[in-house]
Amino acid sequence: MSAFKRWPFLIFVCATFCGHALASAGDRSLEFQQCTLLCDSRECKIDSPSALPLMLRLTRWSCLDNCRYNCMHEITSNSQRPLQYYGKWPFWRFAGMQEPASVLFSVLNLSTHVRGYSQLKRRISPSHPLKRLYLVWSLASMNTWIWSAVFHTRDTSFTEKLDYFSAALTILTALYFTAIRIFHLYSPQSAKPTRSRTLVFRVWTTICVVAFTAHVTYLSSLRRFDYQYNIIFNLILGLTHNALWLLYALPPSMSLLRRFPNRPKSYRPSFAGTAAFLVTVTTAATTLEIFDFPPWQRIVDAHALWHLATVPISEAWYRFLIRDTNDPGWKDGQR
């Protein structure tokens, strides 16, 4: 996911679901356990079990997984109120995908970043000091949405970690370039960077690299994923990232820093408020995660709608970044 929207998603999703990731009311129920045990003994633990359909085998469904899926839907069909199983609502699968709507919307987000990457390359001057950083962030976002689609196709320990690690990398990448953008740590094109600026840039880069490496190493070394720590890590990154863009959006009379290298603090472009608006809209959209509800027709739930909501938000961020990099405040530093 785009980092501009991913951090609140992680916070609220983890807060809502992580405590239930290992067990939920549905899979703890005696009815489900008995149904699964019976199916397993009749369908799986026999001399010649029937082969699963090709798409289920390609997406790594086991016979026991299939028993759990069928029991879950059988119980749900005979119940007035659906329950969660292993931290998830019951969804109708499609072509082996556990949550096809979330997969579809993840792919839509991926396509948004692919188009955004192309726009960054085409509409930002090759000499702009932030172009390379923005392209790296865009690539990181593409990677995040690829693993989001994979994770929603099949939820395993491996795909879950890659989804979380990719999201953390995107958030950190966004914070990394935002700090460089806001505090002007980039190398000016028309002059040699000062020694102090170069030192701060290198220290900041080292901090980010070490932080991500330590984050992945710690979570990978545990027998059980530390969801609480993961929430805190992403929360700190996300809040810091948002605070920096809110500084950028302050009214001219309250400006605490220069927004552009060749303009005074009082210079504030007309689109500066867009940053604050997008931060606010992104946070507001997380209400889809807070007020979670069972999936409509076992297809679309609040989480899937959240993924859908991030598509236009990402497009708006790309437009904002392009406008910002083309502002006249940069022109004396570019060729």
Side-chain angles (χ1 to χ4, degrees):
M1 285 184 187
S2 166
F4 299 114
K5 55 196 183 316
R6 183 75 185 212
W7 73 266
F9 159 75
L10 289 171
I11 295 165
F12 290 113
V13 169
C14 286
T16 304
F17 296 118
C18 288
H20 306 284
L22 298 178
S24 298
D27 57 90
R28 288 198 306 265
S29 69
L30 181 61
E31 182 181 13
F32 175 78
Q33 293 179 14
Q34 289 178 338
C35 176
T36 302
L37 185 63
L38 181 61
C39 175
D40 185 40
S41 63
R42 289 180 175 178
E43 303 291 337
C44 307
K45 294 180 178 178
I46 56 178
D47 293 336
S48 300
S50 300
L52 295 175
L54 177 61
M55 289 307 300
L56 296 186
R57 283 181 278 138
L58 289 176
T59 48
R60 307 299 297 272
W61 285 78
S62 67
C63 182
L64 179 58
D65 291 334
N66 198 48
C67 282
R68 289 170 175 165
Y69 173 83
N70 290 327
C71 287
M72 174 181 69
H73 281 289
E74 180 182 340
I75 294 171
T76 301
S77 296
N78 296 320
S79 302
Q80 292 184 342
R81 183 176 180 274
L83 299 175
Q84 289 191 342
Y85 294 80
Y86 303 103
K88 292 179 177 290
W89 293 111
F91 293 93
W92 293 119
R93 67 190 174 195
F94 175 75
M97 294 180 286
Q98 285 180 279
E99 300 175 65
S102 290
V103 173
L104 172 62
F105 299 150
S106 293
V107 172
L108 288 178
N109 276 281
L110 172 61
S111 66
T112 296
H113 286 283
V114 170
R115 292 194 304 272
Y117 180 87
S118 176
Q119 291 172 358
L120 292 176
K121 289 192 69 175
R122 187 175 66 255
R123 299 178 61 184
I124 298 179
S125 169
S127 64
H128 197 286
L130 292 174
K131 181 172 184 176
R132 182 177 299 179
L133 289 176
Y134 287 171
L135 291 175
V136 169
W137 163 75
S138 186
L139 289 172
S141 298
M142 291 183 214
N143 174 71
T144 293
W145 284 110
I146 289 172
W147 285 112
S148 174
V150 172
F151 172 64
H152 289 299
T153 296
R154 284 294 282 137
D155 179 359
T156 67
S157 176
F158 177 73
T159 59
E160 178 188 56
K161 286 180 179 178
L162 285 174
D163 180 49
Y164 278 123
F165 293 163
S166 297
L169 177 61
T170 302
I171 299 169
L172 185 57
T173 302
L175 174 59
Y176 175 71
F177 85 67
T178 300
I180 292 173
R181 162 66 185 89
I182 298 298
F183 298 113
H184 308 294
L185 302 180
Y186 44 79
S187 298
Q189 297 296 309
S190 59
K192 185 177 180 180
T194 62
R195 181 174 299 180
S196 60
R197 178 183 294 183
T198 300
L199 177 61
V200 174
F201 173 81
R202 289 177 178 174
V203 169
W204 174 234
T205 301
T206 301
I207 289 173
C208 290
V209 171
V210 171
F212 181 72
T213 303
H215 175 70
V216 172
T217 301
Y218 168 70
L219 290 175
S220 299
S221 66
L222 302 175
R223 294 183 62 183
R224 288 187 177 181
F225 196 87
D226 190 341
Y227 294 101
Q228 184 175 13
Y229 157 77
N230 191 58
I231 295 170
I232 295 172
F233 180 83
N234 288 287
L235 175 61
I236 292 172
L237 297 182
L239 288 177
T240 306
H241 167 269
N242 283 6
L244 291 179
W245 282 114
L246 289 175
L247 281 177
Y248 174 96
L250 286 174
S253 60
M254 300 174 61
S255 296
L256 301 178
L257 45 80
R258 289 190 306 159
R259 296 174 181 82
F260 296 91
N262 301 299
R263 293 291 186 273
K265 289 183 180 180
S266 59
Y267 178 73
R268 182 181 185 272
S270 60
F271 57 82
T274 302
F277 172 76
L278 290 175
V279 166
T280 303
V281 169
T282 299
T283 305
T286 59
T287 56
L288 288 169
E289 293 293 335
I290 301 172
F291 302 108
D292 187 34
F293 55 83
W296 175 77
Q297 298 295 318
R298 300 185 217 178
I299 299 173
V300 177
D301 69 339
H303 178 64
L305 292 178
W306 160 250
H307 279 341
L308 180 61
T310 58
V311 174
I313 294 175
S314 293
E315 293 175 344
W317 271 110
Y318 276 104
R319 290 195 297 269
F320 168 75
L321 292 177
I322 291 171
R323 289 191 70 183
D324 178 66
T325 53
N326 285 287
D327 188 85
W330 297 94
K331 65 180 182 180
D332 293 335
Q334 292 180 252
R335 290 191 292 271

